[in-house]
């Protein structure tokens, strides 16, 4: 059997913002959206071995071997210059993980974990790996009490969701915008599949949380907020809705000229949503 | 005017000190103008060079460092000396405790341990409504902070789930006072999930309580039990600790040629010298000071044979990094497996030597090893076995790096995890972190949440806003703010993402 490998940008052993309790988080490399507001733009693309980053590396951790960019993590000091100079928003520091590699990580950190979350990039671009991993966790005596979550942009088609949901406990889903033209501008893609995903996940009882990024002058308009309220109400007024506030941290390019979302405006919108009947609106704990 | 008199005068005129703080520093200066207990030349030199350290406890040990009274004695039997009848109501019990605290000495002259309060007060609560209990304990809590303003003063609750423990944690989270410090003693077989969750939510609210791992502590003590005093000091109840001395492991490493020399020659030498220092201080306390003639002993609040000696170490991180450099290895303590294992080996050696060495006038005839939290002016040395401020890995890696040490420190390990404020929306993550830490062998768990005004500096609590005010206009009602300001400026403590430390001394006037 040809077991899938995951291309992983980063692993966290402690995260309290990626689902219930403490979670091991795998950030997979590669995304099918290209949002200018992305705060991890280096996770968007897979490396094409152009080699532009190699001469920029101050510690010599990057070399080209047989036409491929190779990263030596043992001498890397994580200065991230390679990410800054990458012309395509990729990451030469990715690691390949097998399912067994991730199971080993879970064993090692099990006492501290409530579960695992696959994030990205866009997690579902590596769906076969997720299915194999979650299936392995669910059938492992020592790991099966860990919950398995996905953090997604929702672009995965319905038929594909149905292959992963049986081994998935919950999904955190981002909706970038309700107006489709706006969604296209913010992501380069249509929102039809995203909205369909939200309904599908809700009906399957797997929608753990909806997330909505507030961007001043773009996604904070009265129309968008009204659409958001109507959409959530049509699911269940108690659906957890997390409002995120656009900040410049990590952002590259054009969106750095966009204004950031301020706490009072987030609080005002949260109050509007609550008065529209939503009962589970969460606002950011911190603005950076 | 002599230097000494000038110093006295300086204290009396210092505009940054309250009159009680002036009185305290004057008494410390007076004590320290007397000769030190006699030390042999080698020990005196090591103390002078601060390879070993007496925590500036004072030249003339006339009281134990930590006194851990069994306050149930004064509640149940009253006190002839203090002319108190046995308590019959909750009001009388609280009143008797408030009186008792003023007669319990310690290194700071304030009580460092105010009892396992739920055990003490529950017998008087049967006829008290929840509302009255809340009101009475809230006033008691306010009294403690205002009248005994020292963050080293420490209350304990748990492991059972009971009204007093719940109400105290609720009040503590509401008032967010520096004093008293608080430990919740957790035992998975006894404590309910609900009270454990309440403790974790309270940490998110105000960085208190500490959580102590009862299944690891209880077996080391007898039926009489233990208490957690000051910060992270786990000591026999009805006794305490005579003294706390400590070895600066960085200085020991600096005096070693290499790792072999460290283990074979230099560390054993300074371990012995620190024992001699400890013995000299204990000898003075037991044989010259007259302390044990006190009514506290006569009335059985404390017992002369239940005082241990805390044998402390600090600067493990700098020690390991120094030895790594001498061996030509780059890996840093807290981040590198070889470095971490070297640290564990040092702790094991220390533990074995301290367990083997017979000590006079010590509970069970030996000292107890302690990972010591630091003073406010430790010159770049990291408390105990902690990972240096600002370079801590994520909380899980942090716990994994240090857990193996904990078995070697029966009288406590000062450790503080810094958590960012996103934990506020997810207390379950904190609960799992505590459970994971305890499963790996952590004896105590303390955390700072980074947006709390109330933070641990070296284990004691300070308010960040108080430090800011202290710097602006000089003067704070609370003793530990002075220490905290000093620690914050010299120890890079506030550079920590969120910070924590624990400690207990305002040992000297430092102008």
């Amino acid at each position: 059997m040809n077991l899938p490998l995951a291309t992983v940008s980063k692993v966290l052993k402690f995260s309290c913002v990626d689902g219930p309790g403490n979670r091991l988080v795998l950030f997979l490399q590669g995304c099918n959206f290209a949002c200018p507001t992305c705060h991890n733009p280096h996770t968007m693309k897979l490396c094409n071995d152009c080699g532009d980053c190699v001469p920029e590396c101050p510690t010599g951790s990057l070399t080209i071997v047989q036409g491929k960019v190779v990263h030596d993590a043992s001498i890397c000091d994580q200065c991230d210059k390679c990410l800054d100079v990458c012309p395509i928003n990729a990451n030469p520091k990715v690691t390949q993980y097998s399912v067994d590699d991730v199971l080993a990580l879970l064993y090692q950190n099990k006492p501290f974990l409530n579960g695992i979350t696959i994030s990205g990039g866009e997690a579902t671009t590596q769906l076969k790996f997720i299915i194999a991993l979650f299936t392995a966790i669910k059938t492992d005596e020592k790991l099966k009490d860990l919950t398995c979550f996905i953090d997604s942009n929702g672009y995965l088609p319905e038929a594909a969701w149905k292959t992963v949901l049986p081994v998935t406990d919950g999904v955190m889903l981002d909706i970038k915008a309700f107006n489709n033209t706006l969604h296209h501008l913010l992501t380069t893609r249509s929102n039809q599949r995203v909205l369909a995903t939200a309904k599908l996940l809700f009906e399957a009882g797997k929608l753990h949380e909806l997330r909505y990024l507030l961007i001043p002058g773009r996604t904070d308009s009265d129309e968008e907020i009204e659409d958001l309220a109507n959409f959530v109400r049509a699911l269940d007024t108690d659906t957890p809705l997390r409002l995120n506030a656009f900040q410049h941290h990590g952002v590259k390019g054009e969106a750095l000229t966009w204004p950031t979302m301020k706490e009072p405006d987030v609080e005002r919108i949260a109050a509007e949503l609550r008065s529209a009947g939503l009962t589970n609106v969460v606002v950011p704990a911190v603005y950076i | 005017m002599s230097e000494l008199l000038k110093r006295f005068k300086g204290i009396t005129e210092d505009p940054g000190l309250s009159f009680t703080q002036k009185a305290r520093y004057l008494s410390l200066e007076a004590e320290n103008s007397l000769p030190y207990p006699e030390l042999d030349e080698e020990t005196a030199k090591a103390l002078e060079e601060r390879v070993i350290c007496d925590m500036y406890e004072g030249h003339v040990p006339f009281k134990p460092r930590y006194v851990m009274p069994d306050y149930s004695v004064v509640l149940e039997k009253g006190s002839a000396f203090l002319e108190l009848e046995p308590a019959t109501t909750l009001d009388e019990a609280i009143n008797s405790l408030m009186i008792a605290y003023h007669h319990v000495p310690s290194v700071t002259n304030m009580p460092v341990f105010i009892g396992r309060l739920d055990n003490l007060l529950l017998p008087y609560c049967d006829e008290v409504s929840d509302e009255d209990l809340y009101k009475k304990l809230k006033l008691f809590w306010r009294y403690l902070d205002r009248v005994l303003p020292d963050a080293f003063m420490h209350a304990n609750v748990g492991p059972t789930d009971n009204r007093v423990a719940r109400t105290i944690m609720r009040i503590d989270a509401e008032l967010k006072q520096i004093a008293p410090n608080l430990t919740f003693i957790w035992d998975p077989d006894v404590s309910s999930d609900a009270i454990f969750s309440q403790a974790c939510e309270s940490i998110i609210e105000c960085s208190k309580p500490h959580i102590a791992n009862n299944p690891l502590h209880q077996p080391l003590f007898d039926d009489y039990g233990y208490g957690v005093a000051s910060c992270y000091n786990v000591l026999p109840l009805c006794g305490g600790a005579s003294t706390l001395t400590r070895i600066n492991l960085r200085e020991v490493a600096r005096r070693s040629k290499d790792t072999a020399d460290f283990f074979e020659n230099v560390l054993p030498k300074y371990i012995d010298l620190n024992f001699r220092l400890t013995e000299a201080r204990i000898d003075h306390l037991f044989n010259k000071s007259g302390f044990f003639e006190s009514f506290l002993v006569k009335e059985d609040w404390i017992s002369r044979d239940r005082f241990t000696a805390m044998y402390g170490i600090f600067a493990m991180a700098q020690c390991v990094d120094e030895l790594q450099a001498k061996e030509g290895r780059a890996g840093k303590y807290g981040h590198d497996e070889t470095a971490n294992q070297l640290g564990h080996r040092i702790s094991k050696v220390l533990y074995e030597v301290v367990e083997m060495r017979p000590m006079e006038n010590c509970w069970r005839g030996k000292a107890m090893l302690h990972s010591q939290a630091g003073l406010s002016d430790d010159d770049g040395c990291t408390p105990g076995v902690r990972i240096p401020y600002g370079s801590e890995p994520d909380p899980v890696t942090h716990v994994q790096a240090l857990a193996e040490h904990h078995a070697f420190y029966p009288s406590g390990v000062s450790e503080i995890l810094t958590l960012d404020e996103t934990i506020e929306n997810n207390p379950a993550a904190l609960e799992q972190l505590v459970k994971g830490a305890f499963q790996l062998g952590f004896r105590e768990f303390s955390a700072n949440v980074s947006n709390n005004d109330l933070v641990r500096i070296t284990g004691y609590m300070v308010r960040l806003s108080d430090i800011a005010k202290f710097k602006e206009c000089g003067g704070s009602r609370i003793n530990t703010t002075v220490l905290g300001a000093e620690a914050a400026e010299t120890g890079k403590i506030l550079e920590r993402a969120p910070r924590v430390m624990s400690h207990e001394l305002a040992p000297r006037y430092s102008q």
Side-chain angles (χ1 to χ4, degrees), chain A residues 18-35:
Chain A
D18 291 288
N22 180 39
R23 314 194 67 80
L24 188 118
V25 188
L26 291 189
F27 293 91
L28 304 190
Q29 183 74 20
C31 187
N32 41 20
F33 283 6
C35 308

Side-chain angles (χ1 to χ4, degrees), chain B residues 145-279:
Chain B
D145 180 73
R146 303 305 191 279
V147 177
L148 300 167
D150 192 295
F152 303 124
M153 179 178 60
H154 209 112
N156 296 180
V157 295
T160 61
D161 184 348
N162 62 72
R163 293 166 69 207
V164 172
R166 281 177 180 240
T167 309
I168 282 177
M169 286 200 284
R170 176 186 159 198
I171 291 166
D172 199 54
E174 275 175 21
L175 296 181
K176 298 181 174 56
Q177 297 173 165
I178 291 171
N181 215 326
L182 183 64
T183 286
F184 170 69
I185 295 170
W186 182 67
D187 191 323
D189 293 336
V190 180
S191 312
S192 69
D193 289 345
I195 197 161
F196 175 66
S197 297
Q198 190 191 346
C200 290
E201 277 163 26
S202 183
I203 289 172
I204 289 171
E205 195 67 35
C206 67
S207 296
K208 287 195 277 179
H210 309 264
I211 303 183
N213 190 352
N214 192 54
L216 285 188
H217 290 304
Q218 184 59 50
L220 303 184
F221 295 87
D222 48 23
D223 288 344
Y224 221 121
Y226 69 95
V228 183
S230 180
C231 293
Y232 324 105
N233 305 318
V234 187
L235 297 169
L237 261 186
C238 196
S242 301
T243 184
L244 166 56
T245 55
R246 58 179 189 158
I247 301 178
N248 182 337
L249 293 174
R250 179 183 70 178
E251 295 304 316
V252 178
R254 282 180 174 172
R255 286 159 172 75
S256 307
K257 287 200 290 284
D258 52 25
T259 306
D261 187 39
F262 175 85
F263 281 110
E264 286 162 25
N265 305 311
V266 188
L267 182 62
K269 171 184 158 183
Y270 285 104
I271 288 177
D272 179 53
L273 295 181
N274 195 56
F275 268 119
R276 293 190 214 166
L277 172 67
T278 309
E279 284 162 348

Side-chain angles (χ1 to χ4, degrees), chain A residues 191-207:
Chain A
N191 67 4
Q192 276 178 327
R193 283 194 198 169
V194 180
L195 300 180
T197 292
K199 289 173 188 152
L200 169 79
L201 293 174
F202 174 75
E203 280 157 19
K206 303 282 170 88
L207 181 61

Side-chain angles (χ1 to χ4, degrees), chain A residues 14 23 35 70 91 109 115 183 186 250 253 255:
Chain A
F14 183 82
R23 314 194 67 80
C35 308
V70 176
N91 176 1
N109 298 289
H183 191 276
L186 290 174

